[in-house]
Amino acid sequence: MLENLMDKINKNCNNVDKELVQKAYNFAYNAHKDQKRESGEPYIIHPLEVACILADMGMDTSTIVAGLLHDVIEDTCYNYEDIKKEFGSEVAELVQGVTKLGKIQYKTKEEQQADNVRKMLLAMAKDVRVILIKLADRLHNMRTLKYMPVEKQKEKAKETLDIYAPLAHRLGISKIKWELEDLSFRYIHQNEYYDLVKMIAEKRVERENYIQMIIKQLKESLQKAGIESDIDGRPKHFYSIYRKMVNKNKTLDQIFDLTAVRILVDTVKDCYAALGIVHTMYKPIPGRFKDYIAMPKPNMYQSLHSTVIGPQGKPFEIQIRTFEMHKTAEYGIAAHWKYKEGKSTENNMDLKMTWLREMLEWQRETSDATEFMEGFKIDLFSDEVFVFTPKGVVINLPSDSTPIDFAYKIHTDIGNRCIGGKVNNKMVPLDYHLKTGEIVEIITSPTAKGPNIDWINIVKSNQAKSKIKAWFKKAKREENTSKGKDLLEKEAKKQGYNFGEIAKGEILNGLLKKYNFNSIEDLYASVGVGDLISSNIVTKIREQYENGNKIPLSAQDIINNANSKSIKQNENKNGNKNGKKKNSSPGVIVKGASNVLVRFSKCCNPVPGDEIIGYITKGRGVSIHRKDCKNVSLLMENAENKIVEVSWGTENSGAYIAEIQLKAEDRDGLLAEIMDIITQTKTNLYSINAKTTKGKNALINIKLKIHNVEHLKDLMKRMKKLNGVSEVYRTKN
């Protein structure tokens, strides 16, 4: 198999470092030597096959090497740094980009899928070779899917049909796209697949004889015209035929383009000359001609397509393109590496990847996993229409797009100020479905109030939907801010207070920090839109205000009051007539009292081993804080009489919430490594929140259920050793 890989490299690739490929093979072989595939074969066969697929595509050294190593980080003891040390940062980044986020627990399968796709998109934007490796990986997995359980077969086949085949299509790699679709079709619709194979096989000889007769006639005519050509018959793929039968409700006998005749010539001029000869020989069917040479598809595909009536009155499809166009049609974006031969084509590549930038922009604004996956599939798999601006610029849009989609494609302001549209110089409604070849003009008004909310249900492109939503979010802010302020003031008045008097200073700052707001306007807007409930907010502020301004009592009086209230609450809940209530946390002892309700403060999350102090709250017993908590010093200044001594008891077998913050260099795989440590130490994860800061740094907040402070210190020590991590510390507030 290694010799086979080297043969493919010699045949298809330029300037590949074979010694590095050999080294990568040895490294992967040793890394996977104890692993087997579901088929029982040695695992190394899979990365070798992936590398062979990449070599068939004519990829460069780094991509083939990364193909051999693509599962090493995910499935073996080696990590990013090991790959980087042996093969350099370029290969390590490619391998890291392919590595999935499989070790993080998600609420739903769709959420996990959405996160993996987001990661792939970001990795593609950085280096598109990541997705080429991923496609090769998926293709070999689909070729060997028969060894998986039936449910897994269907799950993988559906994911391939929904995500990976459309991605191959978007990248113009038809060779991989067709095979992925046919393999998926075989597992999702098994009966239909084998019925179709059988029906097509029955008339194959008759069909091949017919196509050979046409090829012979075409060759003779093109040779007479002095056009050098290569002509062959390309059978339609099974999934393509099946889709046509289902979508158009046709039988196999009614589909006339089961085989297409492909003519390859040297120049664009020869393409149009050959088309003229074809249309002279056979009568073209009206409305069935498409010129993808003058208007290439977004995935770089170029060709002339026509359907004509052949001998015996049977229609057939014909495709005409140059040899270079054919290479691009087969390999798409991969042709950039296969045929560049040292030439710089980065600017051209940027133009070809415009769709990726648009998709990335949209996905940043979409947090809902279901909405993201639906939009992703629509963007990838929808057919396109090609329309013109009045100045003749070609604009491609999803099928069934409207003038509104066109307006937002031109510019956001054009979309927001759109009041009408013209198609071929005639006024059309805004929900009109554009057709290829039409000239579109947008009518705008400087006094337009902005988009209509109903447009979201009319437009087809995710780009337009995203921009309409962004406008409403911004436009509604002022209205929501005013509404939220009014609601809070009315609620405060109902509870006997003036909102402006109680919501200030440390009380207000603490509330804003709790909900991650930068200003009180953010709080107002959130209440106005309904994300927060005004009564809950006012109650929290009022309680803090009352605790800080109540007439002082002795500490023992307050403990007794809290204890008495706790017992009454317990009687109400449990019907306990004896008036006895156990301490809610036997791990803490309150000095000078028994049976006192205690709770652990969420602002500092104390755990056994921390120095602690108690604060007597109104109606909720004693709140336990760490002594280094910022709130404690504030409480001691304003309500010293409510501070009480507490200590840890002997019963500390439970789990306690602790929060840590981690600062690190932002890099792929960091979250997965953190999750590994949490899993290894048998720690329960409560929540995790990660964000990037300026300067490409990551700030990660993690809440954990731990047993004591030693358990927490061990976790923090392990995390501090991770590559790129600069700080790990407990949060105080």
Side-chain angles (χ1 to χ4, degrees):
M1 286 185 70
L2 182 60
E3 287 174 7
N4 183 38
L5 172 60
M6 293 302 183
D7 288 342
K8 288 178 183 291
I9 289 170
N10 289 332
K11 182 182 176 183
N12 301 309
C13 307
N14 296 316
N15 304 318
V16 169
D17 185 344
K18 292 172 195 167
E19 288 185 9
L20 196 65
V21 172
Q22 176 75 56
K23 180 182 176 183
Y25 165 75
N26 293 337
F27 191 95
Y29 182 87
N30 289 324
H32 295 294
K33 65 183 176 183
D34 297 324
Q35 296 174 348
K36 301 278 186 184
R37 300 202 82 212
E38 291 288 335
S39 61
E41 297 173 324
Y43 195 91
I44 189 62
I45 288 175
H46 172 62
L48 259 173
E49 289 287 3
V50 169
C52 284
I53 292 167
L54 293 168
D56 275 333
M57 293 161 68
M59 296 307 298
D60 61 326
T61 303
S62 295
T63 313
I64 294 171
V65 167
L68 284 165
L69 303 171
H70 78 275
D71 275 335
V72 166
I73 293 178
E74 186 177 350
D75 294 334
T76 76
C77 60
Y78 294 101
N79 59 25
Y80 172 88
E81 289 301 323
D82 297 324
I83 304 288
K84 184 178 177 181
K85 182 180 176 183
E86 294 294 328
F87 301 97
S89 58
E90 185 180 2
V91 170
E93 287 292 334
L94 288 172
V95 175
Q96 188 76 280
V98 181
T99 303
K100 293 178 292 189
L101 295 172
K103 290 177 178 146
I104 296 179
Q105 296 301 310
Y106 295 89
K107 292 177 185 175
T108 65
K109 181 73 178 173
E110 192 155 49
E111 193 177 310
Q112 182 178 14
Q113 192 181 64
D115 244 1
N116 280 329
V117 171
R118 286 181 201 270
K119 187 187 177 191
M120 278 200 302
L121 288 175
L122 292 168
M124 280 170 68
K126 191 174 180 182
D127 193 330
V128 76
R129 291 174 294 178
V130 167
I131 197 59
L132 300 181
I133 299 167
K134 190 67 188 171
L135 286 172
D137 170 51
R138 179 52 63 113
L139 179 56
H140 183 249
N141 281 333
M142 289 302 295
R143 286 174 178 173
T144 55
L145 200 58
K146 63 182 177 182
Y147 298 105
M148 301 290 285
V150 173
E151 281 305 310
K152 199 74 174 173
Q153 287 176 354
K154 290 188 175 180
E155 182 187 317
K156 288 288 181 188
K158 187 175 187 311
E159 186 180 58
T160 300
L161 211 52
D162 286 347
I163 296 172
Y164 294 99
L167 266 175
H169 170 69
R170 267 294 190 179
L171 295 169
I173 313 170
S174 59
K175 239 177 138 60
I176 288 181
K177 179 212 172 188
W178 292 120
E179 189 175 352
L180 286 176
E181 285 185 339
D182 280 355
L183 288 167
S184 300
F185 174 36
R186 175 181 166 188
Y187 289 103
I188 296 174
H189 303 290
Q190 203 169 66
N191 293 336
E192 291 90 337
Y193 173 83
Y194 286 110
D195 286 346
L196 189 58
V197 170
K198 184 182 176 183
M199 285 190 290
I200 290 173
E202 285 172 356
K203 295 187 177 181
R204 190 178 66 185
V205 175
E206 178 189 329
R207 192 166 55 252
E208 285 180 354
N209 289 338
Y210 179 68
I211 291 298
Q212 287 305 317
M213 178 180 67
I214 291 169
I215 290 172
K216 185 181 177 184
Q217 291 174 356
L218 285 170
K219 275 186 176 176
E220 289 173 358
S221 297
L222 290 173
Q223 281 173 357
K224 284 178 185 176
I227 298 173
E228 290 293 322
S229 64
D230 188 352
I231 310 175
D232 64 3
R234 179 188 66 82
K236 262 241 194 293
H237 294 269
F238 295 127
Y239 184 66
S240 176
I241 297 168
Y242 171 74
R243 258 179 46 199
K244 190 167 281 192
M245 290 169 68
V246 171
N247 294 342
K248 298 187 177 181
N249 197 24
K250 290 186 175 182
T251 64
L252 189 65
D253 293 334
Q254 293 172 308
I255 297 175
F256 49 76
D257 55 352
L258 290 177
T259 306
V261 175
R262 183 187 292 140
I263 301 174
L264 303 182
V265 293
D266 290 322
T267 66
V268 172
K269 181 182 175 183
D270 288 343
C271 289
Y272 289 101
L275 178 68
I277 291 168
V278 170
H279 282 182
T280 302
M281 294 173 63
Y282 311 113
K283 188 176 181 179
I285 296 176
R288 297 284 298 177
F289 170 67
K290 292 174 184 174
D291 187 345
Y292 293 119
I293 293 179
M295 292 187 292
K297 289 188 176 184
N299 64 4
M300 301 163 288
Y301 179 85
Q302 286 183 288
S303 186
L304 298 175
H305 288 199
S306 185
T307 305
V308 297
I309 305 294
Q312 305 165 21
K314 293 181 181 178
F316 69 93
E317 185 183 37
I318 194 146
Q319 300 172 357
I320 307 168
R321 63 181 79 133
T322 65
F323 288 97
E324 190 174 341
M325 290 173 189
H326 182 58
K327 291 169 187 173
T328 303
E330 293 286 293
Y331 298 104
I333 207 81
H336 168 73
W337 284 273
K338 185 168 182 177
Y339 301 105
K340 68 177 179 179
E341 295 179 346
K343 297 173 186 175
S344 177
T345 56
E346 294 306 316
N347 291 335
N348 196 25
M349 281 282 287
D350 285 345
L351 289 172
K352 291 169 181 176
M353 298 299 283
T354 303
W355 66 272
L356 174 59
R357 286 198 302 277
E358 289 174 355
M359 196 175 288
L360 280 169
E361 183 184 331
W362 169 74
Q363 69 90 19
R364 287 190 195 102
E365 299 169 7
T366 311
S367 56
D368 182 74
T370 304
E371 183 185 347
F372 171 74
M373 288 310 298
E374 284 177 2
F376 176 77
K377 292 168 190 176
I378 290 168
D379 253 14
L380 279 184
F381 219 24
S382 62
D383 292 329
E384 292 102 16
V385 293
F386 300 88
V387 293
F388 295 92
T389 68
K391 292 185 178 180
V393 178
V394 179
I395 302 293
N396 66 286
L397 294 163
S399 183
D400 290 337
S401 285
T402 65
I404 305 170
D405 291 281
F406 179 89
Y408 278 106
K409 182 83 171 185
I410 300 298
H411 197 278
T412 304
D413 286 343
I414 302 287
N416 289 339
R417 291 188 284 113
C418 171
I419 59 170
K422 286 184 178 181
V423 171
N424 295 338
N425 220 26
K426 290 182 181 179
M427 289 294 296
V428 295
L430 287 175
D431 60 356
Y432 173 83
H433 289 174
L434 300 174
K435 300 175 187 66
T436 293
E438 292 178 328
I439 299 170
V440 186
E441 183 182 352
I442 299 300
I443 301 167
T444 61
S445 169
T447 59
K449 294 180 180 179
N452 188 312
I453 192 66
D454 293 333
W455 288 4
I456 291 173
N457 300 319
I458 295 172
V459 296
K460 295 297 176 186
S461 64
N462 286 316
Q463 185 185 18
K465 285 182 182 178
S466 176
K467 288 179 177 179
I468 293 167
K469 286 178 181 177
W471 187 90
F472 276 101
K473 188 176 180 182
K474 184 179 178 182
K476 290 285 183 182
R477 180 174 168 81
E478 288 184 13
E479 182 185 327
N480 289 329
T481 300
S482 176
K483 182 181 177 184
K485 185 179 180 184
D486 189 47
L487 286 169
L488 288 168
E489 287 176 349
K490 283 181 179 177
E491 180 61 35
K493 193 174 181 181
K494 195 197 301 185
Q495 295 189 30
Y497 287 92
N498 180 300
F499 186 77
E501 287 182 7
I502 62 174
K504 59 186 179 181
E506 287 298 322
I507 293 175
L508 178 61
N509 291 338
L511 189 71
L512 296 180
K513 191 169 184 180
K514 178 183 171 96
Y515 291 105
N516 293 320
F517 293 138
N518 294 320
S519 66
I520 194 167
E521 284 74 24
D522 291 341
L523 172 64
Y524 290 152
S526 189
V527 172
V529 82
D531 289 340
L532 295 176
I533 299 169
S534 59
S535 58
N536 291 349
I537 298 297
V538 172
T539 300
K540 286 176 184 176
I541 293 174
R542 189 204 73 206
E543 286 177 354
Q544 289 188 50
Y545 179 79
E546 288 175 348
N547 285 340
N549 292 276
K550 192 173 178 181
I551 298 169
L553 297 172
S554 70
Q556 192 58 50
D557 285 340
I558 299 172
I559 288 174
N560 292 339
N561 289 345
N563 185 31
S564 173
K565 193 155 191 174
S566 299
I567 293 169
K568 285 179 182 178
Q569 286 174 346
N570 190 54
E571 287 176 3
N572 292 337
K573 286 181 182 177
N574 304 315
N576 184 354
K577 303 300 180 186
N578 297 324
K580 291 181 181 178
K581 175 172 173 39
K582 288 186 178 180
N583 184 349
S584 66
S585 181
V588 172
I589 299 169
V590 180
K591 188 175 180 181
S594 60
N595 292 330
V596 177
L597 176 68
V598 302
R599 63 186 183 87
F600 294 102
S601 172
K602 291 182 180 178
C603 61
C604 55
N605 292 314
V607 298
D610 288 331
E611 291 188 356
I612 52 175
I613 197 163
Y615 174 75
I616 303 158
T617 63
K618 184 180 178 182
R620 290 183 294 170
V622 177
S623 176
I624 309 300
H625 292 259
R626 280 163 39 200
K627 276 191 176 179
D628 62 351
C629 176
K630 288 180 183 177
N631 285 339
V632 169
S633 56
L634 185 66
L635 293 170
M636 292 184 79
E637 287 176 13
N638 298 326
E640 190 176 353
N641 61 306
K642 294 186 180 181
I643 299 297
V644 64
E645 286 185 31
V646 293
S647 60
W648 294 106
T650 55
E651 299 179 46
N652 290 321
S653 58
Y656 297 80
I657 299 293
E659 184 172 4
I660 60 174
Q661 192 167 77
L662 182 147
K663 289 183 180 178
E665 176 189 340
D666 188 25
R667 62 176 177 83
D668 290 335
L670 178 60
L671 274 178
E673 291 172 21
I674 291 170
M675 295 305 296
D676 272 347
I677 290 173
I678 293 170
T679 304
Q680 288 165 16
T681 54
K682 296 181 180 178
T683 307
N684 288 328
L685 177 65
Y686 188 81
S687 70
I688 185 165
N689 182 38
K691 64 180 179 181
T692 54
T693 60
K694 291 181 180 179
K696 294 185 178 179
N697 291 320
L699 194 65
I700 302 170
N701 283 71
I702 310 167
K703 279 189 179 180
L704 305 150
K705 289 184 178 179
I706 58 113
H707 305 303
N708 51 47
V709 76
E710 284 73 29
H711 180 188
L712 185 60
K713 283 178 180 178
D714 178 51
L715 266 170
M716 293 167 68
K717 187 177 178 182
R718 290 177 185 231
M719 289 181 186
K720 185 72 173 69
K721 290 180 180 179
L722 291 175
N723 178 43
V725 173
S726 56
E727 291 181 78
V728 182
Y729 49 87
R730 284 179 75 181
T731 57
K732 293 185 179 179
N733 289 86

